[in-house]
Amino acid sequence: MTARMTLSPAGVAELELVLAGGLGSASYASEGAGGRLQTTEPLTSGAVELLDQEGTPLAVVEIDGDVADGEWLVGSVRQLRAFGHQLHRDRRIGAQTSRIESALVVLGDLPGEEDARWESLGERPLVVLDTGHHAEALSRDVRRALTAGHDVRVLPAPDAALRSAEDWRDAVAVAAHALFADEIEVWDTERAVGPGLVILLTGLSGSGKSTIAKLLAERLGEVDDRTATLLDGDEVRLILSSKLGFSREDRLMNVRRIGWVAALIAKHGGIAVCAPIAPYAEMRAEMRERAEKVGRFMLVHVSTPLEVCEARDRKGLYAKARAGEIPQFTGISDPYEVPTGADLAVDASVVSPEDAVDQIVAALPR
């Protein structure tokens, strides 16, 4: 049976680069050559099918041996179908076949017209980087460059999660050199984000995160001009995820749906306050990645200890879980991966919900 791995949007862009020959052996590889991909789960030797977020098969990697979670998967890669939903397809890699002598790559947003660097561009093509930031930003930059009379190419960005900032910049230059031009100059510009914000409160059942989230949404309505929307974990399960269970896959899908809705709210300039348990680091990282394409993200760990959560349990869920009546219960029979990179931690066993809200509002990204 062929194993399957779902790629993040950044992972899909990385795959696109590799299949085009833009990264060589730095990640996967082109057809028939050795390459590598960092796994998120243990895999055994054989074929691994790579899927996008919609479950569409994109490629197959033939790996040489067993790999553990977090290790590199090595093998040849074969593309199954064309990549879909690509903006400016006529200017992406593959569509632009002519190689040129020199090009300029912009890592972030195009600088303003008053920027002196424009004078050095000359007749060189301008390579605009598609970081998955959001469609409007990419289209805006392409339109601006075309209106100014520049030859524009669109390059998908390598996966930043696999590299340091410096290595990521180097990978962009390597890909541009391999695919477009013999000589590459890089403009390291900032990529602006919109005013939207996603706040994820994660913690054990009974930690107090739902109470804090409701008070926070109310407080934000009083102190912030942006519209605040509450996405509580229990309520979302009743509406968006009513048919999902509590397996790892179903939990990931539940939080993915919350993250998708939250990012839409942030994309339009609002604040999404989310309060699922979100027990796995993988799902929290995915939500952060999605949110930071359109705005900002804040991770709040409601760190109330397990014994306090269990003592507070008015519904008797912890007792049922310990008796084996509720399988896959977070903190008892299913793991809770404590966040190591939370923007803020609040212990609701030692601070009141109102004080917790004060701390969150004071720490909001500006």
Side-chain angles (χ1 to χ4, degrees):
M1 180 177 178
T2 301
R4 291 186 166 189
M5 180 182 298
T6 300
L7 302 178
S8 68
V12 172
E14 174 105 354
L15 176 60
E16 182 185 358
L17 280 173
V18 171
L19 288 167
L23 292 178
S25 61
S27 181
Y28 310 83
S30 57
E31 175 74 20
R36 59 184 187 171
L37 167 67
Q38 195 168 31
T39 65
T40 55
E41 57 192 75
L43 294 170
T44 57
S45 59
V48 179
E49 195 172 50
L50 305 178
L51 315 176
D52 64 14
Q53 297 272 297
E54 297 174 350
T56 304
L58 300 177
V60 170
V61 179
E62 296 287 345
I63 62 176
D64 298 334
D66 297 353
V67 290
D69 182 3
E71 292 184 351
W72 289 100
L73 175 156
V74 179
S76 62
V77 60
R78 173 172 54 89
Q79 187 168 353
L80 297 177
R81 68 192 68 213
F83 291 78
H85 309 295
Q86 292 179 333
L87 285 171
H88 309 289
R89 186 184 296 274
D90 59 330
R91 299 187 178 276
R92 295 180 78 93
I93 55 177
Q96 299 284 348
T97 56
S98 59
R99 187 165 183 82
I100 49 184
E101 181 178 340
S102 178
L104 192 149
V105 181
V106 181
L107 295 185
D109 294 332
L110 291 185
E113 296 179 1
E114 72 286 352
D115 195 297
R117 286 176 291 188
W118 283 111
E119 299 178 5
S120 69
L121 178 59
E123 299 297 321
R124 290 178 295 173
L126 189 68
V127 179
V128 179
L129 197 65
D130 181 4
T131 62
H133 175 56
H134 54 77
E136 292 86 349
L138 177 62
S139 295
R140 177 201 64 212
D141 282 350
V142 170
R143 286 196 305 269
R144 277 187 58 200
L146 290 175
T147 301
H150 300 298
D151 178 10
V152 180
R153 315 286 176 97
V154 176
L155 182 73
D159 189 351
L162 303 179
R163 302 167 172 85
S164 66
E166 183 177 352
D167 288 343
W168 180 81
R169 293 183 182 92
D170 289 344
V172 171
V174 166
H177 173 73
L179 297 168
F180 293 134
D182 297 329
E183 183 179 308
I184 295 295
E185 179 184 345
V186 176
W187 283 359
D188 193 354
T189 60
E190 294 292 329
R191 183 166 293 279
V193 298
L197 171 64
V198 174
I199 304 173
L200 171 60
L201 292 89
T202 174
L204 295 169
S205 177
S207 62
K209 62 187 180 300
S210 294
T211 300
I212 295 170
K214 291 175 183 177
L215 290 175
L216 176 61
E218 293 173 2
R219 177 77 64 82
L220 290 171
E222 299 170 354
V223 302
D224 200 293
D225 293 334
R226 295 168 291 184
T227 300
T229 302
L230 175 64
L231 299 174
D232 182 71
D234 291 339
E235 293 179 358
V236 169
R237 273 203 171 266
L238 289 174
I239 300 170
L240 290 180
S241 302
S242 59
K243 294 184 179 181
L244 294 180
F246 292 90
S247 67
R248 184 180 182 90
E249 292 75 18
D250 283 356
R251 289 177 187 269
L252 287 168
M253 180 56 70
N254 178 53
V255 174
R256 182 172 294 151
R257 290 174 179 176
I258 294 173
W260 182 78
V261 174
L264 283 180
I265 293 169
K267 179 178 179 179
H268 295 287
I271 302 177
V273 180
C274 313
I277 293 175
Y280 309 134
E282 175 186 355
M283 58 177 53
R284 299 189 294 259
E286 182 179 312
M287 185 181 288
R288 179 185 290 274
E289 179 185 353
R290 191 182 295 275
E292 289 183 342
K293 290 175 184 174
V294 296
R296 300 185 185 280
F297 180 84
M298 181 179 186
L299 177 62
V300 178
H301 178 207
V302 183
S303 59
T304 309
L306 173 62
E307 58 271 18
V308 176
C309 297
E310 196 164 358
R312 288 177 172 178
D313 183 20
R314 294 188 298 272
K315 299 178 182 178
L317 298 179
Y318 279 97
K320 291 180 180 179
R322 290 198 180 278
E325 298 176 23
I326 303 178
Q328 297 174 306
F329 191 86
T330 301
I332 303 299
S333 52
D334 204 66
Y336 179 81
E337 298 173 0
V338 176
T340 58
D343 299 292
L344 179 68
V346 292
D347 183 347
S349 69
V350 296
V351 299
S352 68
E354 291 78 11
D355 288 341
V357 169
D358 288 341
Q359 291 183 34
I360 295 170
V361 170
L364 288 177
R366 306 296 179 184

